[in-house]
Amino acid sequence: MEEEKFAAIIIGAGPAGSTAAYLLAKEGLDVLLIEKGATPGSKNMFGGRMYSHALHKIMPNFWEEAPVERPVVKETLTFMNGSQSVSLDFQEVNWGTPPYHSFTLLRAGFDAWLAAKAEEAGAMVACGIRVDDLIRENGRVVGIQAGEDRMLADVVIAADGVNSLIAQKAGLGKKFSPKQVATGIKQVIQLSEETISHRFQLSGNQGAAQLFVGDCTKGMHGGGFLYTNKSSISLGLVVTAGALQHSQYKIIDLMEDFKENPHIAPLIEGGEIVEHSAHLVPEAGLNMMPQLFGDGILVAGDAAGFVLNLGYIVRGVDFAIASGEAAAKAVLAARANNNFSRQGLSTYQQLLKESFVMKELVAYRQAPQFMANPRIFTAYPQLVTGLMGKMFTVDGGPPVRLLGKVFSQIKQSKIGLTQLAVDGLKGARLL
């Protein structure tokens, strides 16, 4: 390929990269969107849910044409401990009507659609291309090297995922530690629409999202997830890589145990596995965020560590889309000033600060440290399930008032009232 010059080269056709490409192409810029996989979304893996607000702002009523699965109306948080489990349910039927709060997704179809929207807007989409290096002139990034091909651009946007080699090559990021990322594993299990709706007590196209904590990760930092699609279930686990590295377990074995768990098996009974994937997930928030801009380059999406995990809620796609939007606006501002230096692209940082992305990451900046508390994955699931077991057990023994059962279970858990109060206060303050 002959040396070409673009206004922007975007590496990674995930939600961040495709959003940036779409917005820049709409403004008439020459944009190249590069994807390492054979098709957009073919190498991407996530739990299976997107909150709608960020994309609705950019593409109003996107759900009318996007390949979304089910609008989520039911949330469940489940504590698991051996034969016992306790679930907290919340349902909001209005989430199943426009403008829809969130959708379950299958990334292969959704990412391909979003990249196609960028292409319709005028962007060039090139798949199956690995970017080997960045091209620099006078210290500024001016393009990319892919094999023997050199392609130049006013700006490069790194949206190449959690282990962003491009951000590292630009000197903006560094290799993450095992404590900063988690290993995610997921299986898509095919079931009929009627079976899914019946098992999860859903009507029509309504969807459900369920998170699990406790035995599903053998007490390690992490949890399980389940999302209902139209005719399949996305089921998986996420375990901190550092914990997994120092354990006796393999992630695939944990997954098989999870599927056979008596609290999970009935939900997937009769299903057929149609997809299996694994991926690294950024977990450390601001603590693993690289420099977001440099001379001729911006970093967006998972490559920037834009994921928020609060235990009861996990977000990433809406952060990616919003960061892609901010990146596009920063490029347009730099282009207006004909200044693609670090200073010229610094608008990106300000746009992110003004958006929900940085506001929420800053507000919950201590959440990763709190979520690393081992009691969350061992003692507290045991405490909750044990207490509920005592409350509902009738065995003809002497009567014990509820408060007595509470104190008895706390004592049995070996947490202690002081530790319980400290953890509760920290959780309330940080989350």
Side-chain angles (χ1 to χ4, degrees):
M1 185 183 291
E2 295 181 4
E3 194 171 274
E4 297 182 59
K5 176 71 180 287
F6 296 89
I9 293 177
I10 302 168
I11 305 169
S18 291
T19 297
Y22 169 78
L23 292 171
L24 291 173
K26 275 189 66 178
E27 295 298 321
L29 275 64
D30 291 326
V31 178
L32 174 62
L33 177 61
I34 294 178
E35 169 56 40
K36 184 178 179 181
T39 58
S42 62
K43 294 180 69 64
N44 294 334
M45 174 260 180
F46 85 136
R49 187 212 198 133
M50 176 188 74
Y51 293 92
S52 305
H53 66 108
L55 189 57
H56 181 42
K57 174 186 172 187
I58 297 167
M59 300 180 187
N61 302 338
F62 68 89
W63 52 81
E64 294 176 358
E65 58 173 300
V68 295
E69 293 295 312
R70 294 181 183 232
V72 176
V73 301
K74 187 176 183 180
E75 304 271 6
T76 304
L77 178 61
T78 298
F79 297 90
M80 303 175 72
N81 178 38
S83 63
Q84 299 177 323
S85 71
V86 174
S87 292
L88 176 65
D89 284 346
F90 171 76
Q91 190 157 349
E92 170 56 271
V93 294
N94 289 330
W95 285 353
T97 59
Y100 300 108
H101 177 247
S102 66
F103 289 96
T104 55
L105 295 178
L106 294 171
R107 281 287 292 273
F110 180 80
D111 285 12
W113 171 80
L114 193 55
K117 294 298 290 184
E119 195 168 28
E120 287 176 17
M124 181 185 297
V125 180
C127 296
I129 296 178
R130 185 186 71 188
V131 176
D132 298 307
D133 208 348
L134 296 168
I135 301 172
R136 296 175 178 81
E137 287 183 5
N138 300 319
R140 183 170 79 84
V141 174
V142 296
I144 61 150
Q145 183 85 35
E148 299 297 319
D149 299 321
R150 288 166 53 91
M151 288 161 271
L152 304 182
D154 292 326
V155 64
V156 171
I157 299 176
D160 52 330
V162 55
N163 186 23
S164 177
L165 297 178
I166 301 304
Q168 292 174 33
K169 287 180 179 294
L172 300 178
K174 57 185 178 180
K175 289 185 178 181
F176 51 76
S177 74
K179 293 181 179 180
Q180 294 178 315
V181 295
T183 300
I185 186 170
K186 182 182 82 168
Q187 291 182 355
V188 177
I189 301 169
Q190 192 171 57
L191 289 165
S192 71
E193 292 186 38
E194 295 77 13
T195 298
I196 292 171
S197 295
H198 176 72
R199 288 184 182 176
F200 292 90
Q201 299 179 316
L202 302 168
S203 300
N205 70 335
Q206 293 177 344
Q210 190 165 359
L211 298 178
F212 304 86
V213 62
D215 272 2
C216 55
T217 60
K218 308 300 183 186
M220 289 184 287
H221 181 183
F225 61 83
L226 183 154
Y227 298 104
T228 59
N229 306 312
K230 287 179 180 176
S231 56
S232 65
I233 287 173
S234 293
L235 181 74
L237 294 170
V238 178
V239 184
T240 300
L244 197 61
Q245 190 178 59
H246 295 95
S247 78
Q248 60 181 312
Y249 304 104
K250 295 181 179 178
I251 190 71
I252 184 63
D253 296 330
L254 291 177
M255 183 65 181
E256 290 305 309
D257 287 348
F258 185 44
K259 288 162 57 183
E260 294 172 4
N261 188 287
H263 308 294
I264 300 298
L267 302 177
I268 61 174
E269 183 180 1
E272 177 187 358
I273 299 171
V274 294
E275 181 183 318
H276 183 96
S277 57
H279 198 60
L280 290 177
V281 182
E283 289 270 288
L286 292 181
N287 295 320
M288 68 180 298
M289 187 178 296
Q291 296 179 55
L292 299 176
F293 58 96
D295 290 313
I297 187 167
L298 299 171
V299 186
D302 277 8
F306 292 152
V307 173
L308 181 64
N309 180 2
L310 300 180
Y312 62 91
I313 192 170
V314 182
R315 295 168 57 188
V317 178
D318 60 324
F319 280 67
I321 289 169
S323 68
E325 179 187 21
K329 289 180 177 180
V331 171
L332 292 172
R335 186 177 177 83
N337 296 320
N338 193 29
N339 182 0
F340 297 97
S341 67
R342 177 179 174 82
Q343 180 181 3
L345 291 169
S346 63
T347 308
Y348 180 50
Q349 180 87 33
Q350 186 58 38
L351 288 166
L352 288 171
K353 285 183 178 179
E354 294 171 357
S355 77
F356 70 87
V357 175
M358 290 303 293
K359 288 179 180 177
E360 299 213 26
L361 287 173
V362 169
Y364 298 114
R365 67 184 306 153
Q366 299 300 324
Q369 290 92 322
F370 176 76
M371 291 303 301
N373 181 347
R375 288 183 292 277
I376 293 176
F377 311 100
T378 53
Y380 286 115
Q382 293 167 10
L383 173 63
V384 172
T385 55
L387 176 58
M388 297 301 285
K390 281 185 169 63
M391 285 176 60
F392 293 110
T393 295
V394 177
D395 57 9
V400 180
R401 294 184 185 277
L402 180 58
L403 192 60
K405 293 179 180 181
V406 170
F407 284 118
S408 172
Q409 191 60 39
I410 291 174
K411 183 178 180 180
Q412 186 177 328
S413 71
K414 299 180 181 179
I415 296 174
L417 284 173
T418 301
Q419 189 64 69
L420 183 64
V422 170
D423 287 346
L425 186 61
K426 282 184 179 179
R429 186 173 69 246
L430 299 178
L431 302 181

